[in-house]
Amino acid sequence: MTGNQQRAALQRQIWQIANDVRGAVDGWDFKQYVLGTLFYRFISENFASYIEADDDSIDYTKLADSVITPEIKDDAVKTKGYFIYPSQLFANIAKTANTNESLNTDLAKIFTEIESSANGYPSERDIKGLFADFDTTSNRLGNTVKDKNARLAAVIKGVAGLDFGDFHGSHIDLFGDAYEFLISNYAANAGKSGGEFFTPQHVSKLIAQLAMHKQDRVNKIYDPACGSGSLLLQAKKHFDAHIVEEGFFGQEINHTTYNLARMNMFLHNVNYDKFNIQLGNTLIDPYFGDDKPFDAIVSNPPYSVSWIGSDDPTLINDDRFAPAGVLSPKSKADFAFVLHALSYLSSKGRAAIVCFPGIFYRGGAEQKIRKYLVDNNYVETVIALAPNLFFGTTIAVTILVLAKNKTSTNTQFIDASGLFKKETNNNVLTDKHIEDIMQAFDSKANVEYFTQSVPYEKIVANDYNLSVSSYVEAKDNREVIDIVQLNAEIKTTVEKIDQLRAAIDAIVAEIEA
């Protein structure tokens, strides 16, 4: 079986588990149990592999908890960020899951102890609350302890049956892929809310390439509205050859999604000391002001959400918003996220941000912010994408690429709205589509009906409108009609009709006679 076949088989199995076990529980509510169980198995096997250190004489699952010395535990937490005793490992819990009458409370205790193992260590903030949404006493699992245990055991046995092979090489990639597959499927089935925490891989890949373009080394990568971390991890996945000196940074306002993001980092083998995901409102309480600037920023912030805006008189003096001289409208925070990202961007880096298209042509405060961005030559490229690429919305979004080191005052516009492949309920970008966009982005050459580099003066004359359709002419795909030929065909058709009518009249006359 090839790697792709193994991956596809695992994905089918894990989605089947998710559907079979949840029963009457809504899939969106049940996702924490499947995702959490997968995460529990991963960190158990990851930790056991670390302790065994490729020594075939050691099987950590069979050791007694009593042989663990304080020194072993201390060293492990400093390295891995957490500690798991042999008796707490997923494999040992799975062995007795079907017969353990206290399974739900045992799991709750284990999760608490894993999180507590990091207390007082540098990893404490990265581990604390990881299992908060894996509530083993919740009535969503069943009304009785027996029902809860039965459902938990079914999930555990299902995940235990997944064949990831030995914990080496592609095994880690398979875990990460399985987790991301689950998240994407839950997002696809979650309606509008799905798009708020997960950016599809194909779009993430494009955004990551735009932000990292021609940067072989970056200090760190940042997502101010990181959701489940999919954009940050796409940057890691496609740029492992690049040097990311200080790791991955993100902030997320939703507590459940924040936990998903941290789990996602671990599952993609990003150790606790290489990521910093924080919970909170980026616009009102930004966390990473002391960590800026960032050489690469990727973001898919929520579209046109409300924020406090001008109701907080201190915000106009905030370093992020003050240079523009105006705040984003209270009912549309889109440009607040853009200005935040720009403020955190280094002088050599790029920010690639998914935006609602309306912000590029509306008047008022948004026009004034566009004027600030264009006058200061921060807008490198504006890319119009095809509709229906994201979960929960069919709109055709736009990617805004910001840079502080442009050598030209031109702004590039790319119309990629025709680049998509229809798959199930959504459109997708293929690798060829992404390659075409990146080639255009790199060359900055004008291509009819596809891309135009527009002088500063023309944008000013157009009232700082940054809508792609204002600068890239759409190709007229209507059929060209030859009027002379059409008239000749009509004449021939009329003649045939006249002949037919004459023949019919003759037949009728003969019958009547």
Side-chain angles (χ1 to χ4, degrees):
M1 184 181 291
T2 67
N4 286 336
Q5 288 173 328
Q6 183 183 14
R7 182 174 284 105
L10 278 170
Q11 290 175 350
R12 286 192 298 271
Q13 285 178 266
I14 200 165
W15 190 241
Q16 193 64 47
I17 293 167
N19 283 324
D20 287 349
V21 177
R22 71 180 178 88
V25 184
D26 182 76
W28 185 244
D29 291 334
F30 195 64
K31 70 180 184 304
Q32 303 303 333
Y33 299 102
V34 181
L35 292 168
T37 302
L38 186 67
F39 176 70
Y40 175 35
R41 176 178 167 180
F42 174 84
I43 63 170
S44 292
E45 295 185 16
N46 193 330
F47 190 82
S49 178
Y50 162 74
I51 293 292
E52 292 164 3
D54 294 325
D55 186 342
D56 293 337
S57 66
I58 301 175
D59 184 345
Y60 190 61
T61 63
K62 295 180 180 178
L63 294 182
D65 291 357
S66 58
V67 306
I68 305 300
T69 65
E71 291 77 19
I72 292 175
K73 184 176 180 181
D74 179 69
D75 182 69
V77 176
K78 287 178 180 176
T79 303
K80 299 300 294 181
Y82 59 92
F83 190 86
I84 305 178
Y85 282 99
S87 65
Q88 299 173 330
L89 293 171
F90 173 86
N92 287 329
I93 294 300
K95 288 177 183 177
T96 61
N98 287 334
T99 57
N100 185 352
E101 295 181 356
S102 58
L103 177 63
N104 69 324
T105 53
D106 285 351
L107 285 173
K109 183 180 178 183
I110 288 171
F111 296 157
T112 298
E113 290 186 5
I114 291 173
E115 290 183 13
S116 299
S117 70
N119 290 350
Y121 289 86
S123 60
E124 180 176 353
R125 67 182 181 184
D126 300 306
I127 304 297
K128 187 176 182 179
L130 269 177
F131 291 98
D133 296 300
F134 197 141
D135 184 359
T136 60
T137 62
S138 171
N139 286 334
R140 288 184 297 181
L141 289 169
N143 293 322
T144 67
V145 171
K146 184 177 180 180
D147 289 341
K148 292 179 176 68
N149 286 340
R151 185 158 277 146
L152 286 169
V155 177
I156 288 171
K157 298 301 282 189
V159 171
L162 296 173
D163 181 14
F164 289 106
D166 295 328
F167 199 86
H168 294 284
S170 62
H171 176 52
I172 292 174
D173 290 335
L174 288 171
F175 256 109
D177 284 347
Y179 189 80
E180 199 154 329
F181 169 79
L182 269 174
I183 293 178
S184 67
N185 273 268
Y186 281 124
N189 288 276
K192 182 179 179 181
S193 61
E196 294 177 1
F197 78 96
F198 185 78
T199 304
Q201 282 194 16
H202 52 98
V203 184
S204 297
K205 183 176 180 180
L206 172 61
I207 295 168
Q209 290 193 25
L210 289 166
M212 300 282 283
H213 185 61
K214 290 188 174 178
Q215 294 196 83
D216 294 329
R217 174 190 296 266
V218 297
N219 61 352
K220 44 203 167 187
I221 302 172
Y222 172 53
D223 185 344
C226 69
S228 61
S230 56
L231 267 174
L232 289 170
L233 287 166
Q234 201 63 220
K236 174 188 182 295
K237 184 173 183 179
H238 291 282
F239 297 96
D240 272 342
H242 291 56
I243 297 174
V244 182
E245 295 167 351
E246 299 175 48
F248 305 84
F249 295 71
Q251 188 164 347
E252 171 55 35
I253 195 170
N254 180 281
H255 192 277
T256 296
T257 312
Y258 157 72
N259 284 336
L260 287 178
R262 292 189 296 159
M263 287 185 182
N264 213 356
M265 290 292 156
F266 280 110
L267 275 158
H268 284 81
N269 211 34
V270 181
N271 206 36
Y272 78 91
D273 57 344
K274 284 298 183 183
F275 75 83
N276 190 346
I277 307 293
Q278 294 295 328
L279 177 67
N281 187 325
T282 297
L283 299 182
I284 305 304
D285 189 21
Y287 191 86
F288 297 109
D290 293 335
D291 295 283
K292 64 181 183 182
F294 295 86
D295 290 342
I297 297 178
V298 293
S299 189
N300 178 18
Y303 309 142
S304 300
V305 294
S306 298
W307 73 309
I308 192 169
S310 58
D311 284 347
D312 182 349
T314 66
L315 284 175
I316 194 60
N317 298 315
D318 190 299
D319 290 344
R320 299 169 296 165
F321 311 126
V326 65
L327 294 173
S328 186
K330 288 189 295 182
S331 61
K332 303 175 182 67
D334 307 74
F335 265 129
F337 284 104
V338 170
L339 291 173
H340 171 89
L342 179 68
S343 174
Y344 279 46
L345 184 63
S346 74
S347 59
K348 78 179 189 71
R350 279 194 181 89
I353 308 165
V354 180
C355 299
F356 184 79
I359 70 170
F360 293 99
Y361 58 80
R362 290 191 296 237
E366 292 177 318
Q367 183 186 38
K368 293 177 181 177
I369 294 173
R370 293 197 303 271
K371 180 179 187 302
Y372 162 72
L373 295 174
V374 173
D375 285 350
N376 287 276
N377 203 29
Y378 291 139
V379 181
E380 180 174 6
T381 302
V382 183
I383 306 170
L385 296 182
N388 205 29
L389 290 174
F390 292 80
F391 299 122
T393 180
T394 59
I395 63 171
V397 300
T398 301
I399 297 178
L400 175 64
V401 183
L402 301 175
K404 294 181 177 179
N405 59 348
K406 287 175 62 183
T407 57
S408 167
T409 57
N410 288 354
T411 298
Q412 182 188 38
F413 295 87
I414 300 175
D415 183 1
S417 60
L419 301 182
F420 66 91
K421 178 184 177 184
K422 179 70 176 175
E423 281 192 6
T424 60
N425 295 325
N426 283 83
N427 295 328
V428 299
L429 292 172
T430 66
D431 286 346
K432 180 61 167 62
H433 295 148
I434 294 172
E435 181 183 340
D436 289 346
I437 294 171
M438 290 307 302
Q439 284 181 352
F441 177 73
D442 178 60
S443 72
K444 298 295 188 289
N446 293 334
V447 179
E448 190 176 22
Y449 309 125
F450 185 46
T451 177
Q452 291 290 315
S453 288
V454 179
Y456 166 75
E457 294 77 14
K458 185 173 181 179
I459 294 175
V460 173
N462 199 19
D463 294 328
Y464 295 93
N465 186 321
L466 293 178
S467 178
V468 172
S469 61
S470 296
Y471 304 100
V472 182
E473 181 185 358
K475 187 174 183 179
D476 189 347
N477 291 317
R478 292 175 299 179
E479 183 181 357
V480 177
I481 298 174
D482 186 331
I483 298 299
V484 175
Q485 181 181 350
L486 179 62
N487 285 335
E489 291 174 354
I490 292 174
K491 183 180 179 181
T492 301
T493 302
V494 170
E495 289 174 351
K496 289 180 179 179
I497 291 173
D498 289 343
Q499 292 171 4
L500 182 59
R501 281 175 177 167
I504 292 173
D505 288 344
I507 294 171
V508 171
E510 185 177 338
I511 293 173
E512 291 177 345

